[in-house]
Each structure stands twice: as structure tokens, then as C-alpha cells.
Amino acid sequence: MSEIMLVFLGAIFVNNFVLSRFLGICPFIGVSKKIRDALGMGAAVLFVMILATISTWLLQEFVLKPLEIEFLQTIMFILVIAALVQFVEIMLIKFLPALYEALGIYLPLITTNCAILGITLLNLKEDYNLLTSVVHAVGAAVGFTLALVLMAGIRERLDLADIPPAFNGAPIAFITAGLMAIAFLGFAGMM
């Protein structure tokens, strides 16, 4: 049980996908302008990460390994992730159209979000069982959402601040992201 808890907390703080592994930067910078949108993106990533982890783990164990076609792993995983994102997109259009509009182009970008593919490949690399893989995925998604919400909160405050014109927009966002990454390095010594 303590190993699973370490995997979960490590994925959130120590090995944060955005701030330590630098995966998922595009939606991190693009959707982190408002806290509400950041939470919506975080929920979508959580849902897709869990389903992608379960689907790809099962695909690996029961199809790719038995048929000895592990070399197709990346292509198959991308196809599974694309299908899951389409499912999420359909569900958001049906039940949360405002969130769908707010996420805009970044929702389809979950398909190519390297954090989603990264979690599936890391779970296999670490040789996690299904339960540990799902816990790792949940931790990674929570860490992604935490980074997104923190960044959105800071950017909302920065919109009210007097920033030199040269730093407005993307420059201040990247400086802030760098400072957040340095701050998260402090968690590395804890585990």
C-alpha cells in the first residue's frame, strides 16, 4: 500500500508531468488563462488518462505481448487515445457545451498531448500492474491539474498587474512556468 501511495504522491509532486517531465506544455500554456477552464481541462485529462491507461495496459498484456507485436505499441496507443478523446469531445458537446467552447482547440490537442501517451509508456516501462498503473495515471492527472490551476491563478493575477509591455502574454507565462518548475524541484528531496 505504501508503494502505491508513493507512486501517487510522486506523480503529483516529484515527477509532475508538466513541471518536472515537461510533458503537456501546449495545453498548460494555452488553457491556463482562467481557473475554470484549467479545471475543465484537468478533468478531461484525468478522464482520458485513466481510460487510456486501462485500455493500453489491457491492449499490451492481452494483444500485443501474446502476438509478439510490441513494436506497434506507440501506433496502437495513439489510436486508442485518439478514440478516447473523440468520446470525451462528444460527451462535452452533449452535456457541457460551455466547457467545450472554452477549451476550444485544446480539447482535440489532448489526442497529441504527450502527457497522455507518456503515462501509458511510463507505466509499461516501470512494469506496473493494472492497479498501480491506474494510480499513477490518477496522480499524473492530479499533478497536471494542480500545475494548470496554479498557473491559471497566477495568470489571472498577472492580468491585473502592471507588467512591462515586452513581458505581456507568452513571455511572462514562460517565466512563471519556469519559476513554478524550480519551486516543484523542492519536492524532489521528499521522496
Side-chain angles (χ1 to χ4, degrees):
M1 188 63 171
S2 63
E3 179 189 334
I4 289 178
M5 195 57 142
L6 282 175
V7 167
F8 179 72
L9 292 174
I12 296 172
F13 299 110
V14 179
N15 299 313
N16 186 289
F17 269 62
V18 176
L19 301 174
S20 294
R21 296 186 188 268
F22 305 110
L23 298 172
I25 298 294
C26 180
F28 174 69
I29 296 297
V31 184
S32 63
K33 293 178 182 168
K34 293 187 177 6
I35 291 175
R36 190 177 130 260
D37 297 346
L39 285 170
M41 178 61 121
V45 166
L46 173 70
F47 184 71
V48 171
M49 264 194 190
I50 292 170
L51 289 180
T53 296
I54 294 169
S55 302
T56 56
W57 191 90
L58 293 171
L59 179 67
Q60 177 74 14
E61 292 299 316
F62 296 111
V63 177
L64 299 178
K65 275 186 182 177
L67 295 175
E68 296 180 6
I69 54 172
E70 291 98 341
F71 60 91
L72 293 175
Q73 181 180 73
T74 304
I75 293 169
M76 297 299 288
F77 287 8
I78 290 171
L79 290 173
V80 167
I81 292 166
L84 290 171
V85 169
Q86 288 301 311
F87 175 70
V88 169
E89 193 170 357
I90 290 168
M91 297 305 282
L92 284 178
I93 289 171
K94 177 94 171 142
F95 297 110
L96 298 168
L99 181 58
Y100 173 76
E101 290 296 323
L103 293 177
I105 188 65
Y106 296 101
L107 185 60
L109 284 178
I110 292 176
T111 302
T112 57
N113 186 345
C114 51
I116 305 292
L117 182 60
I119 192 73
T120 61
L121 295 175
L122 278 170
N123 286 334
L124 295 177
K125 180 183 173 227
E126 297 293 330
D127 200 28
Y128 289 149
N129 61 30
L130 183 58
L131 176 63
T132 308
S133 294
V134 170
V135 168
H136 186 227
V138 171
V142 169
F144 180 85
T145 305
L146 175 67
L148 211 59
V149 168
L150 289 173
M151 182 67 160
I154 292 169
R155 287 181 81 178
E156 283 184 3
R157 296 283 306 236
L158 287 173
D159 285 344
L160 303 173
D162 187 26
I163 299 172
F167 290 108
N168 278 334
I172 196 68
F174 284 115
I175 291 169
T176 303
L179 292 172
M180 286 175 61
I182 291 170
F184 266 67
L185 279 175
F187 291 116
M190 294 176 65
M191 295 183 178

